[in-house]
Each structure stands twice: as structure tokens, then as C-alpha cells.
Amino acid sequence: MRNPRNPVGAHVPVAGGLATTGLGYARDLGAEAVQVFVANPRGWATPSGDPAQDELFLAECAAAGLPAYVHAPYLINFGSHTAATAERSVESMRHSLRRGRAIGARGVVVHTGSATGGRDRATALAQVRELLLPLLDELTHDDDPPVLLEPTAGQGFSLCSRIWDLGPYFAALDAHPKLGVCLDTCHVFAAGHDLAGAHGMAQTLDQLVETVGEGRLGLIHANDSKDVVGAHKDRHENIGAGHIGEEPFGALFRHPATAGVPLVTETPGGKGGHTDDVARLKKLRDA
């Protein structure tokens, strides 16, 4: 596989085996990058995985030059006021990081969570520090994947949805060297950044660099939006079929902050939708 400026791929299903199912699906799409779950995304279980599938996945990704990423479960919330949720969030994240290392992942994506139970943002961020900083400090091996913070669409009492929210979040974690960002285009658009406006994508990426520094962007979730800017709704649409449109994704590829950063799509339509979106993104990249 050649090494494009931005490898383009998708989140792939893995029921039946990381390598057998996941990489087979990726090949059918022509994917140059993959994202996977290593646990039920809507549960707390921490399965050990299949060593044979892990080894095959690792070997095949290395042979193909295919960057792989893990998405941690959606239930994780380091800002939760519920002790059980906080404890389980640590266990689940540690599991995702451990499994990520086993399969050669280049990052583990986790949603930035929310302040629940009527807590203020400062109190919730103090708990984020208490729970997540020790996990970051455990990442002492060269092949330990970084934690990639994914801002949300701004629903409820989100701790991080606008780009500038990443500033206090990074500060709470001492801008740890194993900390990065996963930017979801649908989320940031829904949160209020008008990517479809004139120079909107470039301005948003400029602000990201100003907020967290260069080299922190580790992955992009390339998703159009079913809803208008600022709707605070996390509803993904196929590339070019939503309110963001195609052109901003072209601008994304041209921005210096995205150089070398893979894109994975999490769009509707199953394999057909993913195949079309991967092809559409490649066309925009290579134009």
C-alpha cells in the first residue's frame, strides 16, 4: 500500500474476528485505515480477545501499512457523579488501552464525557484529572497507544464540544505527552463550528492548533451531518449528503494540521455507504 497524505478508511465490524471479519471488510472498502471496537461499545464487559486473531490483525496491518485505531465504549464518562460509573470507566479505558497495544493500535479514541448530577465543570474536570491522568501515566511503552479525546456534539452538560473546551481539558491532564485529539466533523459542526461557511474548516483547524498545539491531532472521524450547524445532535450523514457538504472535506485535506492524519468514516448505509464514502473522500484528497 502506498502511503498517502491522509489514509482514508472506516470503522469496521469485527463480530467473527478482528482480522477475519474486520480486515476482510476493510479490504472490500479499499480502506487505508481502520477503527474497531474491542468490547461491546454499549456495555462494561472487558473481554480478553482472541490471541490468534490479535496476532493476525497486528501482522496484516503491519504488512499492509494499515493504521488501526480502537474506539473505547460509549459508556465511559470520567466526569460522572456516580461512583460505579467512574470506577467502571477506569476499568473499561484501561482495557481498551491494553487491547489497543496488543493489536498495534495507533490510538484509543474516547468521548470527553459530561458533568452529571448537577456538578459544575470545574468539579467534573478535577475528577477527570483524578481518574484519567493515572491511566496516561501507565502508558510507558513505546508501543502504548495515545489517548485521543473526541469532543462531543454538545448535548446535555458536555465537558468538551467546542474547540476551545479542549484547552481546560488538556490543562486538567497536564497536556500529557500521551494525549491527543480525535476530531469528529459531525460533532464539531453540531457543536456550533460552521464548517460549511466560508473558510470554516480552515478556521476550526487553526483554532484546534492554537488550543492544543501542533501534532496533537491523531485521527479524524469524517462524517457529514443530518442536522444544521449548532443543532447539538449527533446524527451522521454520508459525505456530501448532509449540511456540511463535500467542499469542506477538500479544505480539510489541504490544511497543514491534517498532514499525515488518517480519516475514518462512521456514516450510515452499511458496506455500500462506507464504500462510496471512502471513494468520495479519496477523490477529494487526490483532487
Side-chain angles (χ1 to χ4, degrees), residues 75-98:
L75 296 182
I76 292 173
N77 182 11
F78 295 112
S80 175
H81 73 291
T82 305
T85 298
E87 181 180 341
R88 288 170 177 167
S89 293
V90 171
E91 293 171 359
S92 181
M93 190 65 192
R94 181 177 281 118
H95 171 261
S96 290
L97 288 163
R98 183 174 65 249

Side-chain angles (χ1 to χ4, degrees), residues 144-168:
D144 279 325
V147 171
L148 301 180
L149 300 174
E150 180 180 359
T152 62
Q155 317 97 309
F157 299 96
S158 173
L159 285 174
C160 188
S161 57
R162 300 301 293 263
I163 294 296
W164 51 77
D165 294 334
L166 284 163

Side-chain angles (χ1 to χ4, degrees), residues 229-284:
V229 61
H232 303 301
K233 293 182 179 180
D234 182 11
R235 299 203 306 156
H236 299 183
E237 183 57 281
N238 297 100
I239 305 300
H243 287 275
I244 297 175
E246 278 195 9
E247 195 284 328
F249 290 95
L252 182 153
F253 284 118
R254 296 189 295 270
H255 196 281
T258 69
V261 179
L263 282 73
V264 295
T265 190
E266 304 168 318
T267 47
K271 183 181 280 190
H274 288 161
T275 300
D276 290 345
D277 285 337
V278 167
R280 189 169 289 113
L281 287 166
K282 287 180 180 179
K283 183 177 180 180
L284 290 166

Side-chain angles (χ1 to χ4, degrees), residues 183-245:
L183 187 70
D184 186 307
T185 53
C186 175
H187 290 184
V188 75
F189 183 75
H193 293 275
D194 189 4
L195 305 181
H199 311 295
M201 181 66 80
Q203 290 170 355
T204 300
L205 290 167
D206 285 346
Q207 190 169 54
L208 177 64
V209 174
E210 291 169 7
T211 302
V212 301
E214 295 181 356
R216 294 284 192 169
L217 181 59
L219 181 65
I220 296 164
H221 286 169
N223 302 306
D224 211 324
S225 174
K226 289 182 182 294
D227 299 288
V228 298
V229 61
H232 303 301
K233 293 182 179 180
D234 182 11
R235 299 203 306 156
H236 299 183
E237 183 57 281
N238 297 100
I239 305 300
H243 287 275
I244 297 175

Side-chain angles (χ1 to χ4, degrees), residues 84-173:
T85 298
E87 181 180 341
R88 288 170 177 167
S89 293
V90 171
E91 293 171 359
S92 181
M93 190 65 192
R94 181 177 281 118
H95 171 261
S96 290
L97 288 163
R98 183 174 65 249
R99 295 284 292 115
R101 183 185 180 201
I103 65 171
R106 299 193 187 182
V108 174
V109 177
V110 64
H111 290 172
T112 45
S114 58
T116 64
R119 285 179 163 185
D120 60 39
R121 182 181 298 263
T123 301
L125 283 176
Q127 181 172 290
V128 170
R129 177 184 178 86
E130 177 187 349
L131 299 179
L132 185 51
L133 191 57
L135 291 177
L136 289 163
D137 284 339
E138 290 175 11
L139 303 176
T140 58
H141 300 91
D142 290 342
D143 57 350
D144 279 325
V147 171
L148 301 180
L149 300 174
E150 180 180 359
T152 62
Q155 317 97 309
F157 299 96
S158 173
L159 285 174
C160 188
S161 57
R162 300 301 293 263
I163 294 296
W164 51 77
D165 294 334
L166 284 163
Y169 212 104
F170 263 65
L173 297 168

